[in-house]
């Protein structure tokens, strides 16, 4: 792959970094200032051969600002590019349909993805998601409402869920 661009911006819950392909698709993103922490999550087939920092990533940076300011669907139409097996790719597409403020359980997510008995595979899709926020894996909870894990920390996941339901607003 060619050179990708990256940018870090401040958010209410800490720095957020995104890595974007030349065509504007998000390859990786998350609440970190360390771009190198994102690269291992990118499929080797999509991993850029080089990185250049940019102050602004256009639609991606705008979506991040708008989301954190309360426009909860701001990231919905930003293109994302991830590669893996058929189920994981489908599961990531399904995650993008889970609306803000309406989290689902891992069991619900597996059923939405068409494989109700594949709860562990659904959890794996969340764990292997490289494009946090744009593929909102934070909207998947354990049965009973427990948060479960999140690459960027449970405190970040709690903030995101509270932000999307208006708690603390």
């Amino acid at each position: 792959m060619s050179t990708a661009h990256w940018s870090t911006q401040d958010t209410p819950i800490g720095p957020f970094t995104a890595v974007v392909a030349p065509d504007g698709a998000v390859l990786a993103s998350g609440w970190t200032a360390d771009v190198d922490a994102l690269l291992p999550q990118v499929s080797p087939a999509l991993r850029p051969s080089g990185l250049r920092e940019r102050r602004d990533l256009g639609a991606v940076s705008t979506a991040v600002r708008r989301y954190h300011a309360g426009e909860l669907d701001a990231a919905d139409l930003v293109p994302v590019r991830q590669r893996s097996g058929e189920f994981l790719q489908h599961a990531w597409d399904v995650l993008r349909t889970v609306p803000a403020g309406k989290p689902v359980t891992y069991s619900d997510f597996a059923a939405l993805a068409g494989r109700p008995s594949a709860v562990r595979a659904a959890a794996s899709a969340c764990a292997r998601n490289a494009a946090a926020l744009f593929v909102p894996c934070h909207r998947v909870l354990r049965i009973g409402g427990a948060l479960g894990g999140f690459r960027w920390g449970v405190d970040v996941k709690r903030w995101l869920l509270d932000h999307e339901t208006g708690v603390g607003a």
Side-chain angles (χ1 to χ4, degrees):
M1 169 151 205
S2 59
T3 300
H5 294 97
W6 68 277
S7 180
T8 300
Q9 60 194 97
D10 291 328
T11 75
I13 48 177
F16 184 90
T17 301
V19 177
V20 177
D23 66 357
V26 174
L27 299 174
S29 56
W31 287 268
T32 180
D34 181 7
V35 69
D36 291 330
L38 296 172
L39 295 178
Q41 301 308 314
V42 178
S43 165
L46 297 175
R47 203 163 290 146
S49 56
L51 286 174
R52 286 203 182 114
E53 184 176 11
R54 277 199 178 156
R55 201 175 125 248
D56 190 277
L57 298 173
V60 171
S61 295
T62 298
V64 172
R65 282 191 299 275
R66 286 182 174 167
Y67 172 84
H68 287 89
E71 192 178 321
L72 302 178
D73 62 353
D76 290 359
L77 298 179
V78 172
V80 172
R81 187 167 302 121
Q82 298 191 81
R83 294 286 179 267
S84 190
E86 184 178 330
F87 177 75
L88 287 181
Q89 288 205 214
H90 173 67
W92 292 325
D93 290 341
V94 168
L95 267 175
R96 295 197 83 186
T97 70
V98 175
K102 302 207 184 279
V104 298
T105 66
Y106 288 100
S107 299
D108 294 336
F109 175 39
L112 288 169
R115 291 186 44 200
S117 63
V119 176
R120 285 182 190 237
S124 179
C126 291
R128 294 180 57 193
N129 174 32
L133 181 62
F134 300 95
V135 177
C137 57
H138 65 274
R139 295 180 185 155
V140 183
L141 306 172
R142 290 184 176 166
I143 291 176
L147 293 182
F150 189 57
R151 176 176 292 121
W152 309 110
V154 175
D155 290 343
V156 171
K157 185 172 184 172
R158 169 54 53 210
W159 188 96
L160 295 167
L161 293 169
D162 287 350
H163 178 61
E164 292 180 356
T165 58
V167 173

